Amino acid sequence: MARKFTIEEFFETLKKYNVEELEGVRIEGDLEIEIEPGSGIDANLINAVAMLSNYMQLIQEFGNFLYHANMALSYLQRLSSALGIQMPLVVQPQVQPAVEVKPEKIPEFKIPEKLISAKFEPYKVEYPGKIEEVTLGATRADGGTRETTVTIGGEKSLAFYTFDAMNEYMPAIAIDVFDRKPMLAKAVREHYQDVLEDPAEWAKKAVKEFNADLVTIHLISTDPMLEDTPASEAVKVIEDILQAVKVPLIIGGSGNKEKDPEVLEKAAEVTEGERVMLASATLDMDWERIGNAAKNHGHVILSWTQMDINNQKTLNRYLLKRVGIDRNSLVMDPTTAALGYGLDYAYTNMERIRISGLKGDTDLNFPMSSGTTNAWGAREAWMIDSPIEGDTPWGPRELRGPIWEIVTGMTLALAGVDLFMMMHPGAVAVLKEWMGMLQGIVKESIENVDDWITMEV
Amino acid sequence: MKVKSPLEVYKFLPQTNCGECGFDTCMSFAAQIIDRSVKPTDCPPLVENAKKDKKFEKKLNELISLTSPEILEVEIGVGDNAIKIGGEDVLHRHELTFFNPTAFFFDVYDTMDEEQIHERCSKVVEYRKFYVGDFITLEGIAVRCTSNDPEKFRSVVKKVSEYGKPMVLISMNPECMRAALEEVADQKPLIYAATEKNWKEFLQLALEFKVPVTVRSKDLTILKSLAKTFRENGVRDIVLDPVTEPIGDGLRGTFERVIQLRRTAILGEDKDVAYPIMITPISAWLIEGDEITKGYWETVLASTFIVKYADVMIFKNLEQYTVMPSVILRYNIYTDPRTPVQVEPGLREINNPSPDDPVFVTTNFALTYYTVESDLTSGNIKCWLLVLDTEGLGVEVSVAGGQFTAAKVKDLIKETGIEKKVNHRYLTIPGLAARLQGAIEDETGWTVLVGPMDSGRIKGWLEQQWPPEKKE
Ligand code: SF4
């Protein structure tokens, strides 16, 4: 298994942000001078200083200087008002031992001697169906050149309901790579700044540094509205990526209905044997041609519909019955909407699809994929602050963005998603960590789970 | 609820179709009961009869119990700020809907600096997040007793109660809890928590002060025993805390306990665990790491259990970057999937437009609308946005299906009075509605421009197309 990437490590990597502009508000030193050790200092003050230094740490870790500087200043104002409070020479009143209650007026209630014992018997659920297993990528032994493959699906229970049935495969995460510089939110772009011009290097970074299980190459330059790169030209980048990384590939087009079938067909040809996933066939495109490209070259097809369970059924059926795709070569993308922008529809649509699959609907018992990167479309993920008057300020956006992607991904993971296409390395790390815990792979727990009740934090 | 069809409810109604309930027939009232949009007591004759006659009273009570939610509904707080938790009927929102959104309580503790307590309470009170035409707010404040001093706890709880928000009082020490309840029991706080160790004292407190109580145990048999004991001794309002373990196998265990509790209550019809569930994302502050790590993890815990069945939560972090995703997720999960996914049709003014600015038209399908609206707002595009009632359908579908028509656009122009607000007659329609260009021009007399296929491209499009060249 690859190296474990914890959230802390992720935040370590973020520390390299530039902080020069904060010089003006770095005054911890001054504050320390104000406090004379041993002179009966108010606990409040110590608290406040401790909090300030925590806050400074936050500021140093995350960029967006102006915004932070403002926040820091207002924080300082609050602090100075705290400092304005007299510093009492006496220490806070001692904690007193619990006083005995006066028994005078307490009404009489009959309190039993013992608990009524009532055994909890969990209700059992078993499903007749099973989600198909789909393997992406092929090693040399199977005619490809991948060093790892990824298998998804195989569920016999709802996501992470390990107590109903252990699901063998944990959902996998692919990181998006583009064949031309795409529009990216600042918080995402920062992590790929050095590789934006070089998809192969980009893919390498995604795998080596950010722990991607797969890489998705989006051939967006083929869009007639953009460079309109000819299919035969565009697919060259795939060969570079196959060289650069040894994980399975997903290949996406530009979304152009006329062009995609040609592009994906070409891509299927040049990756023969690698068992890539072609993304994707849709009802309003020539799904037959894309489906045939997958079938003829031994690839997996992504069946993409727009949040409609019936359309999903229809397209799956076309691909299975008319094109003749193998049941172990189909993945569904029922469409991902971002947190706050339709996530409820996306969640419920996927949940219904998964439940239908488990209940035995053989048109729907396939693994699901989610374009989780869509989360970045939410303005809360990238906008500098709320455009709405009366809104509580939104806080630093470099902290909002990743969490938007995390929460979108988590929600859909609970609906049954098996494969995530993501972008922010921090979001990838957190989602993996959390799934590992629910799956029972990341075991280490905390002993004293009651401590929050009395912690002075 | 135990009944599934209006017919089963109809049997209990007067069947006179008197209309007093606001519905034409008893049958349609019955259907509303099944939808949970009305209660049996909303039928006046039924209530009147019950008052007069024991037999009818029994019938009414039977109907109430048949139609009450699977999970008990518990109220915390009093007056306008009171909140309901629990009251759920299903395991998956598409089966009906989830009803009472997870209530969020943010903590203070009694050894906290006074200034800081004030600051945190004010933040909770003042919190506003604009979303889908409304401001989301936060529910309440949780006060933890860290002093273990009844008098200290009493005074801090009293202070916090002045903010007027529902409260959760947190102390395992019955003496401390008693002191606090002597001050604020009339505000109906939720007390936290009765355990295997202190349950006798807490049972006394819950009965004496008539407040809702949380019972807490990692062992579900003990948890169920606690709930059953409290119930059978006269406590109605119970909340279950199966103990939130923040990471690792502990988190997996927490996930399992929560799902088993809710599933056994609903599918297994185990009434002894059919209570609201408490989750404490604040437990994230026990993990190693800096504040951001803990804050993030708090949101991870919250998200997990907003989706899966938590009815009430205790948080620490009040930073917007963690509060905002949590309140929005909650809103999304608790949105009623039965109501059509549409927004109010009409005119929206985006970024304070002037009479020179362009006019766009879009559909009232919520997803389309919010996408367009957010593209325009965030692109700093000043414009007028007409929202057409397409019965909640997107552009492509409604153009094909006849819900997006030239005649309707004409009516919309008239209804909104847009003609008086702008000094031009240019209307931009979605690229996907291009085929209606001629028809809309004929119908309205406006010059119709065809916009881009995706509202994300409006900005670039405007640079090319606006202001339009005058056709003299
Ligand atoms: S008020 Fe009662 S009796 Fe009258 S129509 Fe409504 S349900 Fe029927």
Side-chain angles (χ1 to χ4, degrees):
Chain A
M1 259 219 92
R3 188 176 69 98
K4 215 174 84 189
F5 191 63
T6 68
I7 343 171
E8 275 162 72
E9 281 172 300
F10 148 55
F11 284 116
E12 276 299 316
T13 67
L14 294 186
K15 280 197 178 156
K16 48 181 187 269
Y17 281 104
N18 198 345
V19 288
E20 283 90 327
E21 329 258 337
L22 282 173
E23 292 297 338
V25 291
R26 266 207 219 156
I27 49 145
E28 307 102 293
D30 292 344
L31 281 173
E32 274 162 26
I33 294 165
E34 302 237 340
I35 302 162
E36 287 173 38
S39 65
I41 298 158
D42 188 348
N44 295 338
L45 179 61
I46 297 176
N47 239 341
V49 172
M51 284 199 45
L52 180 71
S53 80
N54 278 342
Y55 207 80
M56 283 303 170
Q57 206 184 331
L58 186 157
I59 292 165
Q60 285 163 17
E61 280 171 3
F62 289 90
N64 200 0
F65 329 113
L66 241 185
Y67 192 76
H68 271 132
N70 282 339
M71 289 186 39
L73 286 174
S74 76
Y75 197 86
L76 284 175
Q77 275 161 11
R78 275 184 264 144
L79 180 71
S80 64
S81 69
L83 286 167
I85 301 172
Q86 283 183 342
M87 291 204 292
L89 289 175
V90 215
V91 205
Q92 279 204 313
Q94 285 295 319
V95 169
Q96 282 158 11
V99 192
E100 254 179 65
V101 230
K102 305 149 218 151
E104 6 183 80
K105 263 180 30 205
I106 300 177
E108 282 290 312
F109 291 99
K110 261 218 227 113
I111 306 294
E113 274 308 302
K114 272 172 48 193
L115 281 178
I116 303 169
S117 100
K119 189 165 167 39
F120 180 78
E121 314 255 12
Y123 182 84
K124 292 212 169 53
V125 173
E126 244 179 74
Y127 292 102
K130 184 183 173 199
I131 307 305
E132 298 288 351
E133 284 177 23
V134 176
T135 298
L136 299 165
T139 58
R140 279 197 194 285
D142 291 314
T145 62
R146 305 298 81 199
E147 279 166 14
T148 57
T149 62
V150 169
T151 301
I152 54 175
E155 292 93 342
K156 287 187 281 227
S157 72
L158 294 179
F160 309 112
Y161 282 33
T162 53
F163 39 89
D164 283 346
M166 193 57 211
N167 295 322
E168 196 176 338
Y169 309 108
M170 198 170 98
I173 299 180
I175 288 182
D176 292 319
V177 173
F178 297 84
D179 73 338
R180 77 189 284 278
K181 238 178 164 168
M183 293 259 292
L184 292 176
K186 182 162 165 274
V188 174
R189 197 174 57 234
E190 271 159 350
H191 296 282
Y192 299 101
Q193 200 69 59
D194 51 332
V195 294
L196 286 176
E197 309 280 355
D198 186 342
E201 283 303 309
W202 188 339
K204 224 186 237 170
K205 189 170 192 183
V207 175
K208 297 252 156 66
E209 286 183 40
F210 303 146
N211 235 351
D213 302 314
L214 312 87
V215 164
T216 307
I217 172 71
H218 298 273
L219 302 173
I220 54 172
S221 79
T222 59
D223 190 338
M225 307 270 285
L226 298 171
E227 286 78 14
D228 200 9
T229 314
S232 52
E233 189 70 27
V235 297
K236 284 185 183 150
V237 72
I238 301 173
E239 290 166 42
D240 298 341
I241 293 178
L242 284 172
Q243 290 295 323
V245 297
K246 294 297 166 196
V247 298
L249 290 198
I250 300 166
I251 300 171
S254 66
N256 183 285
K257 294 186 185 68
E258 283 70 43
K259 188 83 177 279
D260 267 10
E262 185 196 338
V263 172
L264 293 176
E265 194 173 66
K266 198 84 209 150
E269 257 171 62
V270 301
T271 52
E272 165 108 29
E274 297 286 3
R275 201 161 168 76
V276 303
M277 180 162 85
L278 296 182
S280 34
T282 65
L283 277 171
D284 59 1
M285 266 184 209
D286 190 347
W287 46 263
E288 195 158 12
R289 186 167 167 198
I290 302 172
N292 273 317
K295 188 178 90 171
N296 296 338
H297 301 282
H299 300 309
V300 173
I301 188 84
L302 184 62
S303 166
W304 179 26
T305 56
Q306 306 283 340
M307 282 201 237
D308 184 320
I309 190 170
N310 294 319
N311 283 346
Q312 189 70 61
K313 251 175 111 89
T314 306
L315 181 56
N316 290 355
R317 241 198 233 140
Y318 287 170
L319 292 168
L320 295 164
K321 306 257 156 70
R322 296 206 197 161
V323 179
I325 297 278
D326 279 339
R327 295 189 64 82
N328 64 7
S329 302
L330 190 149
V331 176
M332 306 180 282
D333 179 355
T335 297
T336 290
L339 172 61
Y341 295 84
L343 181 62
D344 39 345
Y345 314 128
Y347 171 77
T348 282
N349 185 43
M350 289 182 184
E351 191 182 39
R352 287 180 62 197
I353 289 174
R354 174 51 46 94
I355 291 173
S356 302
L358 288 172
K359 282 187 173 164
D361 185 334
T362 51
D363 291 335
L364 290 172
N365 64 331
F366 300 95
M368 290 189 284
S369 169
S370 154
T372 315
T373 302
N374 286 353
W376 289 90
R379 58 166 59 160
E380 285 83 351
W382 56 267
M383 220 182 248
I384 198 116
D385 206 335
S386 176
I388 309 287
E389 222 171 294
D391 245 11
T392 299
W394 281 2
R397 64 169 160 175
E398 38 287 281
L399 292 178
R400 271 187 267 128
I403 214 162
W404 223 259
E405 191 176 354
I406 292 168
V407 174
T408 303
M410 284 178 61
T411 305
L412 298 179
L414 291 171
V417 163
D418 302 272
L419 174 61
F420 297 89
M421 302 196 198
M422 303 179 67
M423 283 222 77
H424 195 285
V428 171
V430 172
L431 194 68
K432 264 199 180 177
E433 186 86 359
W434 172 79
M435 291 194 299
M437 291 177 188
L438 290 189
Q439 185 81 6
I441 295 168
V442 180
K443 290 236 182 261
E444 204 188 329
S445 307
I446 280 177
E447 282 302 314
N448 304 320
V449 290
D450 299 346
D451 286 359
W452 66 268
I453 295 170
T454 49
M455 71 181 174
E456 291 184 84
V457 177
Chain B
M1 74 175 73
K2 291 281 161 286
V3 285
K4 298 276 175 268
S5 109
L7 264 173
E8 294 169 78
V9 175
Y10 183 75
K11 290 193 301 207
F12 289 87
L13 300 177
Q15 308 181 5
T16 57
N17 300 336
C18 75
E20 267 187 71
C21 56
F23 299 93
D24 289 343
T25 62
C26 294
M27 194 48 123
S28 62
F29 183 80
Q32 299 293 321
I33 287 191
I34 295 290
D35 275 356
R36 278 188 54 181
S37 42
V38 299
K39 298 190 295 289
T41 48
D42 292 332
C43 163
L46 206 58
V47 177
E48 285 306 311
N49 293 344
K51 275 186 202 152
K52 283 185 235 141
D53 188 333
K54 275 265 176 284
K55 211 176 78 206
F56 284 113
E57 190 186 342
K58 205 176 141 229
K59 228 172 141 187
L60 174 60
N61 286 337
E62 200 180 333
L63 180 61
I64 289 173
S65 94
L66 280 176
T67 56
S68 62
E70 296 291 318
I71 304 300
L72 181 79
E73 194 168 70
V74 171
E75 206 169 75
I76 306 173
V78 289
D80 290 349
N81 272 335
I83 40 151
K84 289 187 182 132
I85 59 170
E88 302 303 336
D89 258 324
V90 292
L91 290 172
H92 305 289
R93 59 191 288 279
H94 63 265
E95 294 166 347
L96 184 66
T97 180
F98 292 153
F99 288 92
N100 296 315
T102 318
F104 289 179
F105 288 81
F106 291 80
D107 89 312
V108 296
Y109 50 91
D110 65 355
T111 51
M112 187 184 252
D113 171 274
E114 228 172 81
E115 195 82 3
Q116 224 183 322
I117 293 181
H118 171 65
E119 193 194 307
R120 286 181 65 83
C121 292
S122 309
K123 267 193 174 174
V124 172
V125 171
E126 287 157 17
Y127 185 88
R128 296 276 176 287
K129 162 66 185 153
F130 188 79
Y131 185 62
V132 201
D134 214 347
F135 280 104
I136 301 177
T137 56
L138 305 177
E139 285 67 41
I141 301 164
V143 193
R144 292 187 288 122
C145 177
T146 44
S147 66
N148 203 30
D149 171 1
E151 291 317 306
K152 179 88 183 154
F153 193 46
R154 175 200 297 272
S155 75
V156 170
V157 165
K158 187 165 179 236
K159 266 252 158 56
V160 171
S161 74
E162 285 159 16
Y163 291 87
K165 283 281 186 184
M167 291 187 288
V168 179
L169 307 181
I170 301 176
S171 175
M172 297 300 168
N173 180 339
E175 306 311 332
C176 293
M177 192 58 82
R178 169 171 294 279
L181 285 174
E182 281 168 4
E183 292 300 329
V184 302
D186 58 337
Q187 299 191 29
K188 227 178 153 194
L190 171 64
I191 62 174
Y192 184 100
T195 63
E196 215 184 347
K197 287 195 194 112
N198 66 12
W199 65 269
K200 282 185 193 168
E201 290 87 344
F202 266 73
L203 176 55
Q204 167 77 30
L205 290 171
L207 289 168
E208 187 179 331
F209 292 98
K210 299 189 181 60
V211 287
V213 58
T214 314
V215 294
R216 182 173 200 269
S217 177
K218 232 157 101 167
D219 179 329
L220 296 185
T221 287
I222 293 172
L223 192 67
K224 179 176 169 179
S225 302
L226 282 165
K228 195 173 165 73
T229 305
F230 274 56
R231 181 67 190 223
E232 295 197 355
N233 284 280
V235 178
R236 174 191 178 272
D237 292 342
I238 296 166
V239 173
L240 307 176
D241 177 12
V243 179
T244 306
E245 298 177 80
I247 54 168
D249 207 48
L251 177 61
R252 193 203 52 71
T254 308
F255 185 78
E256 173 169 353
R257 290 194 291 276
V258 169
I259 284 156
Q260 296 287 31
L261 277 176
R262 185 52 51 92
R263 201 162 74 175
T264 305
I266 290 182
L267 296 181
E269 300 188 20
D270 183 345
K271 279 289 157 205
D272 293 329
V273 293
Y275 297 104
I277 293 174
M278 158 82 79
I279 283 290
T280 55
I282 190 175
S283 306
W285 292 75
L286 299 174
I287 67 173
E288 300 282 314
D290 58 20
E291 303 232 324
I292 295 162
T293 308
K294 291 174 181 177
Y296 259 54
W297 202 256
E298 192 175 16
T299 308
V300 166
L301 293 179
S303 305
T304 310
F305 295 108
I306 287 169
V307 177
K308 293 288 180 184
Y309 312 138
D311 300 288
V312 52
M313 284 185 176
I314 295 168
F315 288 87
K316 165 154 292 300
N317 211 9
L318 267 165
E319 297 294 333
Q320 217 3 359
Y321 65 86
T322 67
V323 176
M324 194 159 60
S326 306
V327 296
I328 303 251
L329 177 63
R330 170 180 74 171
Y331 195 107
N332 284 171
I333 295 298
Y334 281 84
T335 294
D336 190 341
R338 297 169 300 176
T339 51
V341 293
Q342 36 185 283
V343 298
E344 203 57 39
L347 176 67
R348 305 289 200 285
E349 301 181 7
I350 309 285
N351 296 322
N352 298 317
S354 77
D356 294 327
D357 290 318
V359 181
F360 293 96
V361 61
T362 187
T363 77
N364 75 331
F365 175 44
L367 269 180
T368 311
Y369 171 76
Y370 287 114
T371 313
V372 174
E373 191 250 17
S374 119
D375 287 337
L376 295 170
T377 316
S378 56
N380 282 320
I381 298 163
K382 287 170 177 287
C383 65
W384 307 84
L385 179 60
L386 290 169
V387 184
L388 188 69
D389 182 359
T390 54
E391 296 163 34
L393 298 174
V395 178
E396 218 170 357
V397 184
S398 61
V399 168
Q403 291 82 9
F404 193 139
T405 64
K408 277 175 115 172
V409 173
K410 183 187 174 189
D411 291 345
L412 184 62
I413 287 177
K414 241 177 132 184
E415 283 158 23
T416 54
I418 183 70
E419 294 187 295
K420 295 195 203 78
K421 298 190 173 166
V422 295
N423 54 22
H424 62 82
R425 292 292 176 265
Y426 290 97
L427 175 68
T428 306
I429 62 172
L432 290 167
R435 68 160 107 147
L436 294 176
Q437 184 181 27
I440 298 176
E441 287 197 336
D442 293 347
E443 194 80 38
T444 62
W446 286 46
T447 304
V448 173
L449 309 174
V450 176
M453 292 293 192
D454 183 316
S455 62
R457 297 191 181 152
I458 287 180
K459 205 174 169 71
W461 180 87
L462 278 178
E463 278 158 23
Q464 308 280 322
Q465 309 284 336
W466 194 265
E469 284 162 35
K470 289 255 168 355
K471 290 184 212 163
E472 290 303 329

